[in-house]
Amino acid sequence: VSVYVRLRVASEDYAMPVEHVLQVAPHGDVTAVPGSRPQMLGVRNMRGQILPVVDLALLLRVPRTAPPTRLLVAEAGSRQAGFAIDQVSEVGELADPTEETDSDLLVGAALVGGDLIGIIDVTRVFAALEQVPQ
Amino acid sequence: VTGIDTELTDIFRDEAAERLDQMETALLAVESGDAGAESVDSLFRNAHTIKGAAGMLGLDDVRALAHAVEDVLEGVRRTKAFPPEVAAPLLRATTMLRAQVAGEHQPIDELLHDLAASLSKLSDGAARAAGAGVPPARAPEAEPAAEPARVLAAEPAAEVQRTPEPAPGPAAERAAEPARVLAAEPAAEAQRTPQPAPVPAEPAAEPARVPAPESAAEPARVREPEPAAEPARVPAVEPAPEAQRAPEAAPHRSDGGKAPLGAPGPKTELRQLRVPAEKIDRLIDVVGEVMQYRGRLAHSLGGHARLPQDVADVLGSGEQMLDELKDTAIGMRTLPLSVITRRLPLAVRDLARAAGKDVEFAVTGADTEIDRVILESLYEPLAHMLRNAVIHGIESAAERERAGKPSRGRLEIRAMPRGSLVEIVVADDGRGVSPEVIERARDEGSLADVLAHPGYSTAAEVTDLAGRGVGLDAVRSYARSVGGNLEIRSEPGHGMEIILLLPLALALLEVLLFERGQAVYGVPMVVVEEIVEVAQTLRLEDRPALEVRGRPLPVADVAALVGAVAPPLSGRSPALVVSAAGRRAVAICDAVLGQEEVVVKPLSPLFGAIEGYLGTAVLGDGRIALLVEPTVLAPRSRRPAGLTSAPDPVPATATATATAPKVLVVEDSFTVRELQRSILEAAGYPVVTARDGREALGVLDRNPDIELVVTDLEMPELDGLGLTRAIRADPARSSLPVVIITSRASEDDQRRGIEAGADAYMSKQGFDQQALLATVERLIGR
C-alpha cells in the first residue's frame, strides 16, 4: 500500500505515486513548440522556470472531448514536466496494482470499488518521451 | 609554474579528489563485504582516469601509483575475486594519491611494493583455487611492469622492479580510514555555509538545504590530521556530500562540485568555494530577470532625458553595477577552451616522444567559449582521446611511409559552436579502425556503439599510457552525463575522428524578438542584417522573392518556416533579413518586438530529437519566446511559401536535413578538406571525404547516394583529372556533377579540367565559400 495522487484524464481514472508529484496548477498559457510531437503540448512559464507540458490523454490514448484544465507537475530523476489533466480527485493510499494492463506506461491497475485505476509509471513515461523519434 | 599550469593542476586536483572519494567509498564497501562487480569497474575507471591526467601533467608518482592500483584491480577482474584484505593496500594507495595530488611528495616505492605483493597474492590465490600447478598470473602480470620501461625511458626504477613483498600493517591502515571518511561529512557541511548572496525563491524541486551554522565553527578541528599513520594530506575542502553519495546518478549535481579546489592547508580554506552549478544557474537566471526588470523600469519612466538629474544619476549607477553583475555571473560559467588546450601541445609532444612517434598537433577554435562546469571536466576525456590517438591511432614513421602517408602523423582538436551544442573533434590521420570493426559497426549500429562499448579496446596490448579497455566508453558516458553525445568517424587506414557534442549550456544571448500568430520568436541578433517592410513580393524561379538593396532574396512566412499555424499575414508586414550558413533570406512576421538580452534555457529532453531551436526564454511579461536557429529562417532550399500560400505543417529544418544531397570532398590536405567539409555541412549537406582519387572511387562505391563530388587537382595516387575521367567512364556515374577546386588556375588548366568532364572549375586563390555553395546549389539544388 502506497500513497498516490488520484487524477482524472478525460473520462478515465489514473493515479501517480505521490513522491513524483511536485504540484498541481491551473493549465495556464501553454506556448506550442512547432515541430514537436503531438504528445508535447508545448512549454509553460511556471514561476520563471520553463516547464514542458505533456498531453497525458494522448499519451494514454484516452479520447478527449474538452480541453484539459489542470496541470500535474511531476518529476522523475532530473526531469520535470507538467501533465495536462482534468482534475485531481484525492491523495491517499491505494492498494498495490493487481491488474495487468496493455500500456507499458502503466505499472498496472488497481481495482477500487469496481473502478479500475491505472497506475502511471512516471519514469517510463519520461523515458518513452525522450526516446520516441520525431 | 605558469598560470595555466596552476589552473590545470587545480582542475586536476579537484577531479582527482572527487574520484578518490568515490574510490574510497567503494573500497570501504569492499572491505565490509558488500560490494558488487560494478564497483570494480568504477574503481578501475577512476584509477585509470587519474593515471591518464597525471601522465599528461607530468605527475610521475601519481601516475605510477595509479597504474599500480590499476594492476591490482586488473588482477581482481581477472581472478573474479575481491578479497576484503586487498582493499587495505588500495586504501593506502588512495590516501597516498590524495597527498601526492595535493602536492606533498612522499616516497611511493614501499607502497608500490605492497601493491605488487597484493597482486601476486591475488594471482596465487586464484591459482590455488583453480588447482593449477603453474602460476597463471605470471605472463599478464609481467606485461604492465615491463611496458613502462619501453615506453618511458625515464621511468622510476621502482616501478620496473616491483617485487612481491608482504604488505605491512594493513589492519592499522584500515582502522584509520573509515574515521576520516565519516569526518568528511561535517566538514563538507561547514564548507557549504559561506555561500554566495542569498538567492530568492529557490525552485520547489530543490531539496531544502539548511546549512547548520554551528558546524561552521568546527572545520578546523574536524580537519585536524588523524593518527600519525596519516600525514597531513587532507585537502582543504572536502567535496560536497552529494558527490559522495550519488556520484553517477545526478550529473548536474556532481558537476556542481567542480569549482577549483583551494590549495591545501586551513589558512586558504575560504579563498575558493565549491558551489553547486544549479546555484550559479539560478544566479544567472536572476540576473536575466533583473535586466528585464531594468528594461521595464526604464521604459515606464520614459527615458533618462525626462528624469530629474538625481534620479537619472542613481539609475545610471545602478545600470553600471548591473552590467558588472551580469559579466561576473556569466564569467562564473564560461571560459574559452584554450584554458585547457594551451597545455596540450607540450603534453602531446611528450606523449609522442615517449611512444616513439612523430606527431604534429594543432588546436583550432580554441576561443570557443564553453560552460565552465563542462570545461573543467573536459580535460580528462580530451587527454584520454589524445593519448589513444598517439598510442594506438598514429602509426610509427616507418609504418606510415609504407602506407604512403607523410611520416609525420597529424593530430588535431577542432572546436566550434553547433547550434545549442559545442562540437569538439579529435582527429588523427593514423591507422583508423580495422575493417572488421567497420563490419561490426554495420551490425551494431555505429562505430561509437562498437568502440565505446564497455571493455572494448582498439589495441590488444596493455601499455602504461592507454588502451586498457576503459577508453571511449568512459568518454561517452562522460559526454552523456553532461547532456551531450559522442560520435566516431573512421576508415581503415585513414585515421579517426571522435566528435564530442557538448551542450553550450545556458548563457545570456542577444536576440531579436518578433511575433507571428500570437507566438513570440527570437533569433540571435548577430544574424539579423536589417528589418524591412514587405509590401509585395516578386517571383523568382517560381519562388517568392524580395529585392533587398538590389538583390533578390528568397522570402517566406515565419510561420511556414517554423511549421506553426498562424492566420494570414497582413498587407504590409515587417520582415527580417537574415544571413546564416552563407545564405541570406527574408522572413516575414506580424511584428518586430525589438532587441533583448535573454537567458537561454534549452528545450527539455522530453521534446526528443526536435531540431531548429536554440532554446527558450522567459520574457519580461511572462511570455515564453522560442529561440530558433538562424538556419531555420534561412533554409538551404525553399519550397514555395509565404504571403499567399497556406502554412506548411512540416518544419523547414526537418525538410532541409532529410533531403539534402550527399557530397564527396576529395582533397589530400587535411585543412582544406576539413574547411570544405565544414562549409558544406554548415549549409546542410552531409559530407563524406576521401584523401585522393583512388580512395574517392572506393568511397563512391560504398556510397551510391553521393550526388556531387568536389575534388582537388593535385593528389597522390590518382589526381583530380584522373578521378574525373574515371567517374565519367563509368556509365552509372556519367552524370555525377564534379567540381574541381585547385590552386592551378590557369586557363589551360581549366580547359583540361573541363575536357576531363568537370562541371565547374574553381580556384583556391581567393577561395570564396559563397561561390562554392552557389556552384554546388546550381549543380544539385532543387
mmCIF file with all atom_site columns, all heavy atoms in Angstrom, chain A residues 32 34 37 44-45 48 50 79-81 130 134, chain B residues 205 562 601 605-608 610 613 616 622 624:
data_model
loop_
_atom_site.group_PDB
_atom_site.id
_atom_site.type_symbol
_atom_site.label_atom_id
_atom_site.label_alt_id
_atom_site.label_comp_id
_atom_site.label_asym_id
_atom_site.label_entity_id
_atom_site.label_seq_id
_atom_site.pdbx_PDB_ins_code
_atom_site.Cartn_x
_atom_site.Cartn_y
_atom_site.Cartn_z
_atom_site.occupancy
_atom_site.B_iso_or_equiv
_atom_site.pdbx_formal_charge
_atom_site.auth_seq_id
_atom_site.auth_comp_id
_atom_site.auth_asym_id
_atom_site.auth_atom_id
_atom_site.pdbx_PDB_model_num
ATOM 1   N N   . ALA A 1 32  ? 2.891  26.624 -27.692 1.00 0.00 ? 32  ALA A N   1
ATOM 2   C CA  . ALA A 1 32  ? 3.165  25.461 -28.537 1.00 0.00 ? 32  ALA A CA  1
ATOM 3   C C   . ALA A 1 32  ? 4.568  25.557 -29.113 1.00 0.00 ? 32  ALA A C   1
ATOM 4   O O   . ALA A 1 32  ? 5.075  26.647 -29.371 1.00 0.00 ? 32  ALA A O   1
ATOM 5   C CB  . ALA A 1 32  ? 2.144  25.400 -29.665 1.00 0.00 ? 32  ALA A CB  1
ATOM 6   N N   . PRO A 1 34  ? 6.323  24.487 -32.331 1.00 0.00 ? 34  PRO A N   1
ATOM 7   C CA  . PRO A 1 34  ? 6.109  23.885 -33.659 1.00 0.00 ? 34  PRO A CA  1
ATOM 8   C C   . PRO A 1 34  ? 7.192  22.854 -33.971 1.00 0.00 ? 34  PRO A C   1
ATOM 9   O O   . PRO A 1 34  ? 8.357  23.052 -33.645 1.00 0.00 ? 34  PRO A O   1
ATOM 10  C CB  . PRO A 1 34  ? 6.219  25.082 -34.611 1.00 0.00 ? 34  PRO A CB  1
ATOM 11  C CG  . PRO A 1 34  ? 5.924  26.276 -33.782 1.00 0.00 ? 34  PRO A CG  1
ATOM 12  C CD  . PRO A 1 34  ? 6.422  25.943 -32.408 1.00 0.00 ? 34  PRO A CD  1
ATOM 13  N N   . ARG A 1 37  ? 6.338  16.624 -31.342 1.00 0.00 ? 37  ARG A N   1
ATOM 14  C CA  . ARG A 1 37  ? 5.349  15.566 -31.488 1.00 0.00 ? 37  ARG A CA  1
ATOM 15  C C   . ARG A 1 37  ? 4.034  15.993 -30.848 1.00 0.00 ? 37  ARG A C   1
ATOM 16  O O   . ARG A 1 37  ? 4.028  16.823 -29.936 1.00 0.00 ? 37  ARG A O   1
ATOM 17  C CB  . ARG A 1 37  ? 5.872  14.291 -30.823 1.00 0.00 ? 37  ARG A CB  1
ATOM 18  C CG  . ARG A 1 37  ? 6.952  13.622 -31.649 1.00 0.00 ? 37  ARG A CG  1
ATOM 19  C CD  . ARG A 1 37  ? 7.697  12.611 -30.838 1.00 0.00 ? 37  ARG A CD  1
ATOM 20  N NE  . ARG A 1 37  ? 8.682  13.261 -29.978 1.00 0.00 ? 37  ARG A NE  1
ATOM 21  C CZ  . ARG A 1 37  ? 8.780  13.061 -28.687 1.00 0.00 ? 37  ARG A CZ  1
ATOM 22  N NH1 . ARG A 1 37  ? 7.964  12.264 -28.073 1.00 0.00 ? 37  ARG A NH1 1
ATOM 23  N NH2 . ARG A 1 37  ? 9.702  13.679 -27.996 1.00 0.00 ? 37  ARG A NH2 1
ATOM 24  N N   . ARG A 1 44  ? 5.416  25.947 -20.664 1.00 0.00 ? 44  ARG A N   1
ATOM 25  C CA  . ARG A 1 44  ? 4.675  26.880 -19.831 1.00 0.00 ? 44  ARG A CA  1
ATOM 26  C C   . ARG A 1 44  ? 5.636  27.521 -18.844 1.00 0.00 ? 44  ARG A C   1
ATOM 27  O O   . ARG A 1 44  ? 6.557  26.867 -18.336 1.00 0.00 ? 44  ARG A O   1
ATOM 28  C CB  . ARG A 1 44  ? 3.594  26.124 -19.064 1.00 0.00 ? 44  ARG A CB  1
ATOM 29  C CG  . ARG A 1 44  ? 2.651  26.997 -18.260 1.00 0.00 ? 44  ARG A CG  1
ATOM 30  C CD  . ARG A 1 44  ? 1.828  26.083 -17.352 1.00 0.00 ? 44  ARG A CD  1
ATOM 31  N NE  . ARG A 1 44  ? 0.732  26.740 -16.682 1.00 0.00 ? 44  ARG A NE  1
ATOM 32  C CZ  . ARG A 1 44  ? 0.853  27.563 -15.645 1.00 0.00 ? 44  ARG A CZ  1
ATOM 33  N NH1 . ARG A 1 44  ? 2.052  27.849 -15.180 1.00 0.00 ? 44  ARG A NH1 1
ATOM 34  N NH2 . ARG A 1 44  ? -0.216 28.074 -15.067 1.00 0.00 ? 44  ARG A NH2 1
ATOM 35  N N   . ASN A 1 45  ? 5.409  28.788 -18.597 1.00 0.00 ? 45  ASN A N   1
ATOM 36  C CA  . ASN A 1 45  ? 6.197  29.514 -17.622 1.00 0.00 ? 45  ASN A CA  1
ATOM 37  C C   . ASN A 1 45  ? 5.644  29.228 -16.233 1.00 0.00 ? 45  ASN A C   1
ATOM 38  O O   . ASN A 1 45  ? 4.553  29.646 -15.885 1.00 0.00 ? 45  ASN A O   1
ATOM 39  C CB  . ASN A 1 45  ? 6.136  31.020 -17.943 1.00 0.00 ? 45  ASN A CB  1
ATOM 40  C CG  . ASN A 1 45  ? 6.862  31.857 -16.907 1.00 0.00 ? 45  ASN A CG  1
ATOM 41  O OD1 . ASN A 1 45  ? 7.484  31.330 -15.982 1.00 0.00 ? 45  ASN A OD1 1
ATOM 42  N ND2 . ASN A 1 45  ? 6.791  33.157 -17.061 1.00 0.00 ? 45  ASN A ND2 1
ATOM 43  N N   . GLY A 1 48  ? 8.864  31.454 -13.569 1.00 0.00 ? 48  GLY A N   1
ATOM 44  C CA  . GLY A 1 48  ? 10.195 31.732 -14.101 1.00 0.00 ? 48  GLY A CA  1
ATOM 45  C C   . GLY A 1 48  ? 10.899 30.514 -14.675 1.00 0.00 ? 48  GLY A C   1
ATOM 46  O O   . GLY A 1 48  ? 11.884 30.641 -15.381 1.00 0.00 ? 48  GLY A O   1
ATOM 47  N N   . ILE A 1 50  ? 10.864 27.146 -17.115 1.00 0.00 ? 50  ILE A N   1
ATOM 48  C CA  . ILE A 1 50  ? 10.134 26.709 -18.302 1.00 0.00 ? 50  ILE A CA  1
ATOM 49  C C   . ILE A 1 50  ? 9.864  25.215 -18.208 1.00 0.00 ? 50  ILE A C   1
ATOM 50  O O   . ILE A 1 50  ? 10.785 24.409 -18.099 1.00 0.00 ? 50  ILE A O   1
ATOM 51  C CB  . ILE A 1 50  ? 10.913 27.072 -19.584 1.00 0.00 ? 50  ILE A CB  1
ATOM 52  C CG1 . ILE A 1 50  ? 10.949 28.600 -19.706 1.00 0.00 ? 50  ILE A CG1 1
ATOM 53  C CG2 . ILE A 1 50  ? 10.254 26.444 -20.795 1.00 0.00 ? 50  ILE A CG2 1
ATOM 54  C CD1 . ILE A 1 50  ? 11.685 29.118 -20.897 1.00 0.00 ? 50  ILE A CD1 1
ATOM 55  N N   . ARG A 1 79  ? 14.294 15.030 -14.568 1.00 0.00 ? 79  ARG A N   1
ATOM 56  C CA  . ARG A 1 79  ? 13.281 15.547 -15.494 1.00 0.00 ? 79  ARG A CA  1
ATOM 57  C C   . ARG A 1 79  ? 12.041 16.032 -14.756 1.00 0.00 ? 79  ARG A C   1
ATOM 58  O O   . ARG A 1 79  ? 11.615 15.421 -13.782 1.00 0.00 ? 79  ARG A O   1
ATOM 59  C CB  . ARG A 1 79  ? 12.856 14.455 -16.469 1.00 0.00 ? 79  ARG A CB  1
ATOM 60  C CG  . ARG A 1 79  ? 13.993 13.785 -17.182 1.00 0.00 ? 79  ARG A CG  1
ATOM 61  C CD  . ARG A 1 79  ? 14.426 14.607 -18.371 1.00 0.00 ? 79  ARG A CD  1
ATOM 62  N NE  . ARG A 1 79  ? 15.481 13.935 -19.086 1.00 0.00 ? 79  ARG A NE  1
ATOM 63  C CZ  . ARG A 1 79  ? 16.760 14.337 -19.070 1.00 0.00 ? 79  ARG A CZ  1
ATOM 64  N NH1 . ARG A 1 79  ? 17.115 15.385 -18.377 1.00 0.00 ? 79  ARG A NH1 1
ATOM 65  N NH2 . ARG A 1 79  ? 17.663 13.690 -19.765 1.00 0.00 ? 79  ARG A NH2 1
ATOM 66  N N   . GLN A 1 80  ? 11.479 17.112 -15.308 1.00 0.00 ? 80  GLN A N   1
ATOM 67  C CA  . GLN A 1 80  ? 10.202 17.586 -14.793 1.00 0.00 ? 80  GLN A CA  1
ATOM 68  C C   . GLN A 1 80  ? 9.286  17.859 -15.968 1.00 0.00 ? 80  GLN A C   1
ATOM 69  O O   . GLN A 1 80  ? 9.743  18.223 -17.039 1.00 0.00 ? 80  GLN A O   1
ATOM 70  C CB  . GLN A 1 80  ? 10.379 18.899 -14.032 1.00 0.00 ? 80  GLN A CB  1
ATOM 71  C CG  . GLN A 1 80  ? 10.979 18.721 -12.653 1.00 0.00 ? 80  GLN A CG  1
ATOM 72  C CD  . GLN A 1 80  ? 11.031 20.030 -11.888 1.00 0.00 ? 80  GLN A CD  1
ATOM 73  O OE1 . GLN A 1 80  ? 10.376 20.989 -12.261 1.00 0.00 ? 80  GLN A OE1 1
ATOM 74  N NE2 . GLN A 1 80  ? 11.816 20.041 -10.835 1.00 0.00 ? 80  GLN A NE2 1
ATOM 75  N N   . ALA A 1 81  ? 7.999  17.707 -15.745 1.00 0.00 ? 81  ALA A N   1
ATOM 76  C CA  . ALA A 1 81  ? 7.042  18.048 -16.788 1.00 0.00 ? 81  ALA A CA  1
ATOM 77  C C   . ALA A 1 81  ? 5.698  18.331 -16.152 1.00 0.00 ? 81  ALA A C   1
ATOM 78  O O   . ALA A 1 81  ? 5.411  17.877 -15.045 1.00 0.00 ? 81  ALA A O   1
ATOM 79  C CB  . ALA A 1 81  ? 6.914  16.906 -17.803 1.00 0.00 ? 81  ALA A CB  1
ATOM 80  N N   . GLU A 1 130 ? 11.421 10.741 -24.301 1.00 0.00 ? 130 GLU A N   1
ATOM 81  C CA  . GLU A 1 130 ? 12.755 11.100 -24.765 1.00 0.00 ? 130 GLU A CA  1
ATOM 82  C C   . GLU A 1 130 ? 13.191 10.250 -25.937 1.00 0.00 ? 130 GLU A C   1
ATOM 83  O O   . GLU A 1 130 ? 13.957 10.683 -26.781 1.00 0.00 ? 130 GLU A O   1
ATOM 84  C CB  . GLU A 1 130 ? 13.769 10.938 -23.626 1.00 0.00 ? 130 GLU A CB  1
ATOM 85  C CG  . GLU A 1 130 ? 13.817 12.134 -22.730 1.00 0.00 ? 130 GLU A CG  1
ATOM 86  C CD  . GLU A 1 130 ? 14.878 11.973 -21.665 1.00 0.00 ? 130 GLU A CD  1
ATOM 87  O OE1 . GLU A 1 130 ? 16.016 11.646 -22.023 1.00 0.00 ? 130 GLU A OE1 1
ATOM 88  O OE2 . GLU A 1 130 ? 14.554 12.167 -20.485 1.00 0.00 ? 130 GLU A OE2 1
ATOM 89  N N   . GLN A 1 134 ? 11.307 11.884 -33.707 1.00 0.00 ? 134 GLN A N   1
ATOM 90  C CA  . GLN A 1 134 ? 10.452 12.979 -34.146 1.00 0.00 ? 134 GLN A CA  1
ATOM 91  C C   . GLN A 1 134 ? 9.385  12.492 -35.109 1.00 0.00 ? 134 GLN A C   1
ATOM 92  O O   . GLN A 1 134 ? 9.666  11.759 -36.018 1.00 0.00 ? 134 GLN A O   1
ATOM 93  C CB  . GLN A 1 134 ? 11.327 14.001 -34.884 1.00 0.00 ? 134 GLN A CB  1
ATOM 94  C CG  . GLN A 1 134 ? 11.454 15.353 -34.268 1.00 0.00 ? 134 GLN A CG  1
ATOM 95  C CD  . GLN A 1 134 ? 10.793 15.606 -32.950 1.00 0.00 ? 134 GLN A CD  1
ATOM 96  O OE1 . GLN A 1 134 ? 11.269 15.201 -31.909 1.00 0.00 ? 134 GLN A OE1 1
ATOM 97  N NE2 . GLN A 1 134 ? 9.686  16.291 -32.952 1.00 0.00 ? 134 GLN A NE2 1
ATOM 98  N N   . ALA B 2 205 ? 11.812 22.303 -6.551  1.00 0.00 ? 205 ALA B N   1
ATOM 99  C CA  . ALA B 2 205 ? 12.445 20.999 -6.669  1.00 0.00 ? 205 ALA B CA  1
ATOM 100 C C   . ALA B 2 205 ? 13.685 20.875 -5.791  1.00 0.00 ? 205 ALA B C   1
ATOM 101 O O   . ALA B 2 205 ? 14.089 19.784 -5.441  1.00 0.00 ? 205 ALA B O   1
ATOM 102 C CB  . ALA B 2 205 ? 12.839 20.747 -8.109  1.00 0.00 ? 205 ALA B CB  1
ATOM 103 N N   . VAL B 2 562 ? 8.879  27.815 -39.482 1.00 0.00 ? 562 VAL B N   1
ATOM 104 C CA  . VAL B 2 562 ? 8.999  27.032 -38.255 1.00 0.00 ? 562 VAL B CA  1
ATOM 105 C C   . VAL B 2 562 ? 7.960  25.914 -38.201 1.00 0.00 ? 562 VAL B C   1
ATOM 106 O O   . VAL B 2 562 ? 8.065  25.014 -37.377 1.00 0.00 ? 562 VAL B O   1
ATOM 107 C CB  . VAL B 2 562 ? 8.878  27.902 -36.977 1.00 0.00 ? 562 VAL B CB  1
ATOM 108 C CG1 . VAL B 2 562 ? 9.941  28.976 -36.957 1.00 0.00 ? 562 VAL B CG1 1
ATOM 109 C CG2 . VAL B 2 562 ? 7.494  28.493 -36.864 1.00 0.00 ? 562 VAL B CG2 1
ATOM 110 N N   . LYS B 2 601 ? 17.249 29.013 -22.190 1.00 0.00 ? 601 LYS B N   1
ATOM 111 C CA  . LYS B 2 601 ? 17.052 27.738 -21.488 1.00 0.00 ? 601 LYS B CA  1
ATOM 112 C C   . LYS B 2 601 ? 16.806 26.680 -22.535 1.00 0.00 ? 601 LYS B C   1
ATOM 113 O O   . LYS B 2 601 ? 15.916 26.825 -23.361 1.00 0.00 ? 601 LYS B O   1
ATOM 114 C CB  . LYS B 2 601 ? 15.838 27.848 -20.571 1.00 0.00 ? 601 LYS B CB  1
ATOM 115 C CG  . LYS B 2 601 ? 15.968 29.023 -19.629 1.00 0.00 ? 601 LYS B CG  1
ATOM 116 C CD  . LYS B 2 601 ? 15.226 28.793 -18.364 1.00 0.00 ? 601 LYS B CD  1
ATOM 117 C CE  . LYS B 2 601 ? 15.507 29.931 -17.404 1.00 0.00 ? 601 LYS B CE  1
ATOM 118 N NZ  . LYS B 2 601 ? 14.637 29.919 -16.266 1.00 0.00 ? 601 LYS B NZ  1
ATOM 119 N N   . PRO B 2 605 ? 14.604 17.707 -22.673 1.00 0.00 ? 605 PRO B N   1
ATOM 120 C CA  . PRO B 2 605 ? 14.867 16.483 -23.459 1.00 0.00 ? 605 PRO B CA  1
ATOM 121 C C   . PRO B 2 605 ? 13.582 15.723 -23.791 1.00 0.00 ? 605 PRO B C   1
ATOM 122 O O   . PRO B 2 605 ? 13.588 14.883 -24.680 1.00 0.00 ? 605 PRO B O   1
ATOM 123 C CB  . PRO B 2 605 ? 15.738 15.638 -22.531 1.00 0.00 ? 605 PRO B CB  1
ATOM 124 C CG  . PRO B 2 605 ? 16.229 16.559 -21.476 1.00 0.00 ? 605 PRO B CG  1
ATOM 125 C CD  . PRO B 2 605 ? 15.272 17.688 -21.371 1.00 0.00 ? 605 PRO B CD  1
ATOM 126 N N   . LEU B 2 606 ? 12.500 16.058 -23.074 1.00 0.00 ? 606 LEU B N   1
ATOM 127 C CA  . LEU B 2 606 ? 11.239 15.379 -23.374 1.00 0.00 ? 606 LEU B CA  1
ATOM 128 C C   . LEU B 2 606 ? 10.754 15.708 -24.781 1.00 0.00 ? 606 LEU B C   1
ATOM 129 O O   . LEU B 2 606 ? 9.895  15.020 -25.322 1.00 0.00 ? 606 LEU B O   1
ATOM 130 C CB  . LEU B 2 606 ? 10.161 15.769 -22.351 1.00 0.00 ? 606 LEU B CB  1
ATOM 131 C CG  . LEU B 2 606 ? 10.455 15.392 -20.902 1.00 0.00 ? 606 LEU B CG  1
ATOM 132 C CD1 . LEU B 2 606 ? 9.271  15.719 -20.024 1.00 0.00 ? 606 LEU B CD1 1
ATOM 133 C CD2 . LEU B 2 606 ? 10.806 13.918 -20.792 1.00 0.00 ? 606 LEU B CD2 1
ATOM 134 N N   . PHE B 2 607 ? 11.301 16.777 -25.376 1.00 0.00 ? 607 PHE B N   1
ATOM 135 C CA  . PHE B 2 607 ? 10.906 17.089 -26.741 1.00 0.00 ? 607 PHE B CA  1
ATOM 136 C C   . PHE B 2 607 ? 11.619 16.182 -27.745 1.00 0.00 ? 607 PHE B C   1
ATOM 137 O O   . PHE B 2 607 ? 11.423 16.311 -28.942 1.00 0.00 ? 607 PHE B O   1
ATOM 138 C CB  . PHE B 2 607 ? 11.162 18.568 -27.058 1.00 0.00 ? 607 PHE B CB  1
ATOM 139 C CG  . PHE B 2 607 ? 10.099 19.466 -26.480 1.00 0.00 ? 607 PHE B CG  1
ATOM 140 C CD1 . PHE B 2 607 ? 10.254 20.032 -25.239 1.00 0.00 ? 607 PHE B CD1 1
ATOM 141 C CD2 . PHE B 2 607 ? 8.936  19.712 -27.184 1.00 0.00 ? 607 PHE B CD2 1
ATOM 142 C CE1 . PHE B 2 607 ? 9.273  20.832 -24.687 1.00 0.00 ? 607 PHE B CE1 1
ATOM 143 C CE2 . PHE B 2 607 ? 7.943  20.511 -26.650 1.00 0.00 ? 607 PHE B CE2 1
ATOM 144 C CZ  . PHE B 2 607 ? 8.105  21.079 -25.394 1.00 0.00 ? 607 PHE B CZ  1
ATOM 145 N N   . GLY B 2 608 ? 12.440 15.282 -27.238 1.00 0.00 ? 608 GLY B N   1
ATOM 146 C CA  . GLY B 2 608 ? 13.086 14.318 -28.127 1.00 0.00 ? 608 GLY B CA  1
ATOM 147 C C   . GLY B 2 608 ? 14.071 14.987 -29.057 1.00 0.00 ? 608 GLY B C   1
ATOM 148 O O   . GLY B 2 608 ? 14.688 15.988 -28.716 1.00 0.00 ? 608 GLY B O   1
ATOM 149 N N   . ILE B 2 610 ? 14.000 16.985 -31.418 1.00 0.00 ? 610 ILE B N   1
ATOM 150 C CA  . ILE B 2 610 ? 13.473 18.124 -32.174 1.00 0.00 ? 610 ILE B CA  1
ATOM 151 C C   . ILE B 2 610 ? 14.638 19.007 -32.625 1.00 0.00 ? 610 ILE B C   1
ATOM 152 O O   . ILE B 2 610 ? 15.634 19.152 -31.929 1.00 0.00 ? 610 ILE B O   1
ATOM 153 C CB  . ILE B 2 610 ? 12.472 18.921 -31.306 1.00 0.00 ? 610 ILE B CB  1
ATOM 154 C CG1 . ILE B 2 610 ? 11.713 19.933 -32.164 1.00 0.00 ? 610 ILE B CG1 1
ATOM 155 C CG2 . ILE B 2 610 ? 13.158 19.592 -30.131 1.00 0.00 ? 610 ILE B CG2 1
ATOM 156 C CD1 . ILE B 2 610 ? 10.491 20.500 -31.457 1.00 0.00 ? 610 ILE B CD1 1
ATOM 157 N N   . TYR B 2 613 ? 15.814 24.577 -32.750 1.00 0.00 ? 613 TYR B N   1
ATOM 158 C CA  . TYR B 2 613 ? 15.688 25.504 -31.630 1.00 0.00 ? 613 TYR B CA  1
ATOM 159 C C   . TYR B 2 613 ? 16.991 25.642 -30.853 1.00 0.00 ? 613 TYR B C   1
ATOM 160 O O   . TYR B 2 613 ? 17.636 24.655 -30.532 1.00 0.00 ? 613 TYR B O   1
ATOM 161 C CB  . TYR B 2 613 ? 14.588 25.053 -30.665 1.00 0.00 ? 613 TYR B CB  1
ATOM 162 C CG  . TYR B 2 613 ? 13.212 25.103 -31.284 1.00 0.00 ? 613 TYR B CG  1
ATOM 163 C CD1 . TYR B 2 613 ? 12.631 23.955 -31.811 1.00 0.00 ? 613 TYR B CD1 1
ATOM 164 C CD2 . TYR B 2 613 ? 12.525 26.306 -31.368 1.00 0.00 ? 613 TYR B CD2 1
ATOM 165 C CE1 . TYR B 2 613 ? 11.379 24.001 -32.404 1.00 0.00 ? 613 TYR B CE1 1
ATOM 166 C CE2 . TYR B 2 613 ? 11.268 26.365 -31.958 1.00 0.00 ? 613 TYR B CE2 1
ATOM 167 C CZ  . TYR B 2 613 ? 10.697 25.205 -32.479 1.00 0.00 ? 613 TYR B CZ  1
ATOM 168 O OH  . TYR B 2 613 ? 9.477  25.266 -33.063 1.00 0.00 ? 613 TYR B OH  1
ATOM 169 N N   . THR B 2 616 ? 14.663 28.272 -25.270 1.00 0.00 ? 616 THR B N   1
ATOM 170 C CA  . THR B 2 616 ? 13.527 29.136 -24.990 1.00 0.00 ? 616 THR B CA  1
ATOM 171 C C   . THR B 2 616 ? 13.982 30.208 -24.015 1.00 0.00 ? 616 THR B C   1
ATOM 172 O O   . THR B 2 616 ? 15.060 30.105 -23.432 1.00 0.00 ? 616 THR B O   1
ATOM 173 C CB  . THR B 2 616 ? 12.381 28.335 -24.346 1.00 0.00 ? 616 THR B CB  1
ATOM 174 O OG1 . THR B 2 616 ? 12.909 27.644 -23.205 1.00 0.00 ? 616 THR B OG1 1
ATOM 175 C CG2 . THR B 2 616 ? 11.807 27.323 -25.311 1.00 0.00 ? 616 THR B CG2 1
ATOM 176 N N   . GLY B 2 622 ? 6.346  37.648 -18.941 1.00 0.00 ? 622 GLY B N   1
ATOM 177 C CA  . GLY B 2 622 ? 5.975  36.295 -18.558 1.00 0.00 ? 622 GLY B CA  1
ATOM 178 C C   . GLY B 2 622 ? 5.756  35.366 -19.738 1.00 0.00 ? 622 GLY B C   1
ATOM 179 O O   . GLY B 2 622 ? 5.628  34.153 -19.564 1.00 0.00 ? 622 GLY B O   1
ATOM 180 N N   . ILE B 2 624 ? 6.713  33.227 -23.138 1.00 0.00 ? 624 ILE B N   1
ATOM 181 C CA  . ILE B 2 624 ? 7.898  32.438 -23.487 1.00 0.00 ? 624 ILE B CA  1
ATOM 182 C C   . ILE B 2 624 ? 8.229  32.680 -24.953 1.00 0.00 ? 624 ILE B C   1
ATOM 183 O O   . ILE B 2 624 ? 7.354  32.602 -25.820 1.00 0.00 ? 624 ILE B O   1
ATOM 184 C CB  . ILE B 2 624 ? 7.656  30.931 -23.251 1.00 0.00 ? 624 ILE B CB  1
ATOM 185 C CG1 . ILE B 2 624 ? 7.464  30.657 -21.754 1.00 0.00 ? 624 ILE B CG1 1
ATOM 186 C CG2 . ILE B 2 624 ? 8.814  30.103 -23.794 1.00 0.00 ? 624 ILE B CG2 1
ATOM 187 C CD1 . ILE B 2 624 ? 7.111  29.227 -21.432 1.00 0.00 ? 624 ILE B CD1 1
#
